[in-house]
Amino acid sequence: MKILVVGSGAREHAIVHALAHEADRLGSTPHELHAAPGNPGIAGLAELHVVDQVDGAAVTALATRLGADLVVVGPEAPLVAGVADAVRAAGIPVFGPGAEAARLEGSKAFAKEVMAAASVPTAMAHVCTDVDEVAAAIDGFGAPYVIKDDGLAAGKGVVVTDDRDVALEHARACLDGDGRRVVVEEYLDGPEVSLFCVSDGSTVVPLAPAQDFKRALDGDAGPNTGGMGAYSPLPWVPDGLVEEVVTRVAQPTIDEMARRGTPFVGVLYVGLALTSRGTRVVEFNARFGDPETQSVLSRMVTPLSAVMLAAAQGRLASLPPLAWSDDASVTVVVAAQGYPGAVRSGDPISGVDAAEQVDGVHVLHAGTARSADGVLVASGGRVLSVVARGTDLVEARRRAYEALGRIELAGSQHRTDIAARAAAGEITLAR
Ligand code: AMP
Ligand code: GLY
């Protein structure tokens, strides 16, 4: 197939990597892969095209010119901007929801409304438009306070704090941006799970669950980020969790979107908290999660192209059950100094090839660029994802950190505790 992947992060590199390796694994004809705009890592596997990724007409023109059989839209910004609608209108199969359906991610208030209509269990919430309302809402719920920017914020719009002043300050900052809305939520205790549910608008096919590490620093300290690492599978999740989430969350949400005439095609990312009072939705995203995708796709045996094309063409119900490797996979993000704030960039990166010499390891690019003389340099917050497979989480972790130790980037930071508690059997559920 000719496949065009839109985006430039490690998630898109993971998608391209999975598509590129299908042929070696299955002995099938290799795909012709294209990416827009892609990144220096993706450049080794796909032809790159310079396109404004939120410009639906430009992406559609490119897909048409290439004769693409499938377009995959990776990030939230082009989805919310309607890029999938434009491609779909041109008659090209596209994996990714249209703008209306992507509002499940684009507006937290909209997501709450859909969850209420579909009776999906989630945190109680108030949508507020001024600071007095926020103050009343947080005093009603009590600490810890959870304050969320209504709109897209690359994982950085959420503050969870015991400090009332910090909570109100964040609310003020969110409200100052274009008369925005703020969502105040009840605090959810318990470990978090990310479950990607692929849908063609009616059928739901869950992938393997993963866990993400959202905070910048070890021990879940520091500010929220886009995600500093991930692993899959989750040895500690109760049997039946995936079925429960499909039945109680994903299927009712997909049905509600279809009922509204805005069917959701793509990945419904269900972020969950396994609380003492049961499973609750923390958030929806309208796309694969980054960095969970890096670990989830590294374990997927069923060809990803078949799943995405079946979803794009409304044929998921006829797909055989997905097959998974029993291996564990751990992803550790190498971030630039300063992330998730203003970052240092332009420093050279070395040791990526040496890192990939470690058994079971591959390295995915995110914020990287080539300097004028061809040197790989850092150009963003999250720079690389080191993905390691092993027979269990202990081995996958060891390999990931051994590989990471071979990479040099001045000032870079990473968490040292990705999957550590799960590998040690220390995650417990209060239920
Ligand atoms: P969101 O952007 O909604 O995913 O929130 C980012 C992160 O903030 C989540 O992954 C959680 O770690 C945390 N968070 C969000 N909502 C809540 C909540 N209601 N209770 C506790 N933590 C939350
Ligand atoms: N890993 C969280 C996200 O992709 O939003």
Side-chain angles (χ1 to χ4, degrees):
M1 273 200 278
K2 268 189 209 175
I3 307 174
L4 170 63
V5 177
V6 175
S8 65
R11 164 186 50 216
E12 286 73 33
H13 192 178
I15 291 169
V16 169
H17 184 270
L19 294 171
H21 290 87
E22 281 179 10
D24 337 326
R25 283 198 298 115
L26 307 169
S28 52
T29 315
H31 299 301
E32 183 183 313
L33 299 173
H34 297 268
N39 65 38
I42 296 175
L45 302 168
E47 188 180 329
L48 303 194
H49 302 271
V50 181
V51 149
D52 177 1
Q53 55 175 312
V54 296
D55 181 341
V59 172
T60 305
L62 173 63
T64 305
R65 179 166 66 72
L66 295 172
D69 302 299
L70 174 66
V71 175
V72 179
V73 184
E76 58 274 26
L79 292 167
V80 169
V83 168
D85 298 298
V87 175
R88 202 170 280 121
I92 302 171
V94 57
F95 186 81
E100 267 303 308
R103 288 180 69 213
L104 282 178
E105 169 161 8
S107 165
K108 291 185 188 291
F110 176 73
K112 284 289 183 193
E113 177 201 317
V114 172
M115 284 189 254
S119 302
V120 167
T122 186
M124 284 186 293
H126 291 292
V127 179
C128 304
T129 51
D130 67 46
V131 176
D132 292 340
E133 278 180 68
V134 172
I138 67 175
D139 293 340
F141 286 134
Y145 308 113
V146 181
I147 311 284
K148 302 186 174 188
D149 197 332
D150 181 46
L152 287 184
K156 301 169 202 162
V158 178
V159 164
V160 181
T161 177
D162 284 322
D163 186 329
R164 191 172 181 278
D165 293 336
V166 170
L168 290 176
E169 196 43 52
H170 181 62
R172 245 177 237 117
C174 296
L175 289 165
D176 280 351
D178 312 331
R180 300 274 272 279
R181 295 185 295 182
V182 167
V183 179
V184 176
E185 282 189 9
E186 144 199 45
Y187 177 79
L188 300 175
D189 60 346
E192 289 182 39
V193 173
S194 303
L195 184 69
F196 302 156
C197 293
V198 175
S199 183
D200 57 8
S202 54
T203 298
V204 172
V205 174
L207 304 189
Q211 195 178 38
D212 176 23
F213 292 74
K214 289 223 165 70
R215 300 291 188 127
L217 306 175
D218 281 1
D220 293 330
N224 269 320
T225 70
M228 296 297 288
Y231 65 95
S232 173
L234 311 181
W236 50 270
V237 296
D239 286 344
L241 178 79
V242 170
E243 293 72 18
E244 178 199 344
V245 174
V246 169
T247 309
R248 297 191 54 209
V249 177
Q251 191 70 59
T253 301
I254 293 296
D255 292 347
E256 173 65 17
M257 295 307 286
R259 196 188 62 74
R260 292 173 180 227
T262 52
F264 187 101
V265 174
V267 173
L268 178 65
Y269 165 135
V270 182
L272 301 153
L274 308 194
T275 77
S276 46
R277 291 184 296 147
T279 306
R280 299 277 186 279
V281 174
V282 175
E283 62 165 338
F284 283 146
N285 291 317
R287 44 148 183 102
F288 281 114
D290 185 341
E292 298 97 309
T293 299
Q294 288 85 308
S295 275
V296 170
L297 293 186
S298 78
R299 298 185 50 238
M300 194 165 148
V301 173
T302 305
L304 176 63
S305 63
V307 178
M308 294 195 299
L309 187 65
Q313 295 180 329
R315 296 186 285 102
L316 271 183
S318 60
L319 200 73
L322 301 187
W324 296 93
S325 161
D326 289 334
D327 278 1
S329 174
V330 171
T331 298
V332 184
V333 169
V334 178
Q337 183 176 319
Y339 181 73
V343 296
R344 160 173 175 171
S345 68
D347 295 295
I349 302 164
S350 63
V352 172
D353 291 344
E356 292 196 313
Q357 297 303 311
V358 176
D359 254 0
V361 169
H362 62 279
V363 178
L364 301 170
H365 292 228
T368 68
R370 294 270 173 208
S371 67
D373 43 4
V375 175
L376 188 69
V377 297
S379 69
R382 293 188 290 176
V383 179
L384 298 168
S385 280
V386 178
V387 186
R389 280 176 49 168
T391 52
D392 57 17
L393 288 174
V394 173
E395 185 177 59
R397 255 178 68 71
R398 192 172 44 69
R399 289 173 169 181
Y401 283 106
E402 182 185 341
L404 191 141
R406 298 181 181 192
I407 294 174
E408 283 182 42
L409 168 61
S412 70
Q413 43 160 338
H414 63 269
R415 280 185 60 160
T416 67
D417 62 349
I418 304 301
R421 293 185 57 229
E426 286 172 8
I427 301 186
T428 47
L429 297 175
R431 31 178 34 197

